[in-house]
């Protein structure tokens, strides 16, 4: 098996999807604290936001590839015929669509990190910046929990 | 969000979304990127001399994002439990 085939295999894609999402969530949680208490330099905040955005983009690509290529044909039928079809009809449907909210909001926060502390203060952006960083990290955590429910539903579906 | 809900009621729209990229979700992903770029340019031009409005726009972004999550959750729950 070559490296490309390995990266395209189902367990690796799921691992990359989750792993990159955790990096993105952690970056935005750190950023949230720094914006809140006016800590860190502009450069440190900008680099952290950039790491978070790139991690969410990587998670999007890995998860999206898995979803488009494997989920519909291999996983969805098992869940739909199992004990918890709602896990696809509600959880997966919501998850796949709210994921699309994360990256635009995360890039918006990245733009805010280009501002100095004085500019953030003068424009009155502190609270709304904290709220947006919280939304990015919160949506990431919510989507992670949803992914766990979907995986559990697939396992239960396979057993039933 | 509007496109997603509309496509659930319109088979031709969902088929068209699939035909663009091969999968409706991929098409929505591409559209979300293009819309974000478009709105970034629009807001940059519109707000470059209206810095007092930046906070309002960002607050609207936060509110619409949370509302989007709530509306999609209610919509797909209603779809599953046949509320409508």
């Amino acid at each position: 098996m070559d490296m490309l085939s390995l990266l395209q295999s189902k367990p690796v894609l799921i691992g990359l999807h989750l792993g990159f999402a955790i990096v993105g969530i952690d970056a935005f949680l750190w950023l949230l604290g720094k914006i809140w208490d006016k800590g860190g330099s502009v450069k440190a905040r900008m680099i952290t936001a950039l790491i978070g955005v790139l991690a969410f983009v990587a998670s999007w690509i890995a998860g999206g590839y898995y979803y488009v290529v494997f989920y519909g044909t291999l996983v969805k039928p098992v869940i739909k015929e199992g004990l918890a079809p709602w896990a696809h009809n509600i959880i997966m449907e919501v998850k796949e669509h709210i994921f699309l909210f994360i990256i635009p909001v995360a890039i918006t926060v990245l733009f805010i990190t280009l501002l100095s502390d004085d500019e953030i203060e003068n424009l009155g952006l502190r609270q709304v910046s904290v709220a947006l960083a919280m939304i990015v990290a919160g949506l990431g955590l919510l989507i992670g929990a949803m992914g766990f429910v979907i995986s559990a539903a697939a396992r239960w579906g396979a057993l039933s | 969000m509007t496109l997603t809900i509309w496509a659930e009621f319109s088979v031709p729209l969902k088929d068209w979304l699939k035909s663009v990229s091969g999968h409706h979700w991929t098409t929505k992903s591409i559209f979300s990127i293009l819309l974000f770029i478009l709105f970034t340019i629009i807001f940059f031009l519109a707000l470059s001399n209206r810095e007092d409005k930046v906070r309002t726009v960002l607050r609207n972004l936060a509110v619409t994002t949370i509302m989007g999550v709530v509306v999609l959750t209610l919509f797909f729950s209603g779809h599953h439990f046949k509320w409508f």
Side-chain angles (χ1 to χ4, degrees):
Chain A
M1 179 181 268
D2 60 28
M3 186 54 82
L4 189 61
S5 304
L6 184 74
L7 286 172
Q8 290 173 327
S9 66
K10 295 179 277 295
V12 173
L13 285 170
I14 290 285
L16 291 173
H17 175 53
L18 180 63
F20 280 122
I22 290 169
V23 173
I25 292 164
D26 288 348
F28 274 86
L29 283 175
W30 185 91
L31 192 60
L32 165 62
K34 291 297 174 188
I35 297 172
W36 181 286
D37 68 5
K38 305 176 190 173
S41 63
V42 172
K43 189 178 174 187
R45 290 197 297 261
M46 193 268 287
I47 289 171
T48 307
L50 187 62
I51 289 169
V53 167
L54 292 176
F56 279 125
V57 170
S59 178
W60 191 13
I61 292 168
Y65 184 84
Y66 172 84
Y67 172 69
V68 169
V69 176
F70 299 120
Y71 178 84
T73 50
L74 298 177
V75 186
K76 179 179 164 184
V78 175
I79 297 176
K80 296 271 276 185
E81 289 164 18
L83 297 172
W86 53 266
H88 171 79
N89 295 343
I90 301 173
I91 308 292
M92 187 63 195
E93 291 283 7
V94 173
K95 178 181 185 269
E96 74 188 53
H97 290 103
I98 65 174
F99 200 102
L100 301 180
F101 297 166
I102 288 187
I103 291 166
V105 179
I107 294 174
T108 304
V109 176
L110 171 62
F111 290 153
I112 295 170
T113 63
L114 301 176
L115 300 172
S116 67
D117 275 322
D118 288 343
E119 286 170 321
I120 289 175
E121 211 62 61
N122 293 339
L123 292 168
L125 300 183
R126 178 107 26 222
Q127 278 188 333
V128 75
S129 305
V130 168
L132 288 171
M134 206 179 279
I135 286 170
V136 172
L139 283 182
L141 289 167
L142 176 66
I143 285 170
M146 288 171 146
F148 185 83
V149 171
I150 293 158
S151 297
R155 281 195 296 276
W156 281 102
L159 290 173
S160 65
Chain B
M1 186 179 75
T2 308
L3 188 66
T4 295
I5 294 173
W6 187 7
E8 290 299 321
F9 290 113
S10 170
V11 175
L13 177 61
K14 199 158 189 175
D15 287 343
W16 179 77
L17 288 170
K18 281 179 197 168
S19 71
V20 172
S21 67
H23 198 288
H24 70 93
W25 184 81
T26 311
T27 306
K28 287 174 194 168
S29 298
I30 294 165
F31 282 179
S32 75
I33 294 166
L34 295 177
L35 272 177
F36 179 68
I37 293 169
L38 177 69
F39 277 103
T40 300
I41 294 167
I42 289 171
F43 282 122
F44 179 77
L45 295 174
L47 299 176
S48 55
N49 293 320
R50 297 294 309 273
E51 291 180 345
D52 55 314
K53 295 285 181 192
V54 174
R55 183 170 60 176
T56 307
V57 169
L58 292 177
R59 195 179 289 166
N60 289 343
L61 173 66
V63 171
T64 50
T65 303
I66 293 168
M67 280 182 61
V69 174
V70 173
V71 168
L72 285 173
T73 305
L74 288 173
F75 172 73
F76 283 112
S77 299
H79 209 245
H80 174 73
F81 292 114
K82 300 186 181 3
W83 294 339
F84 43 81

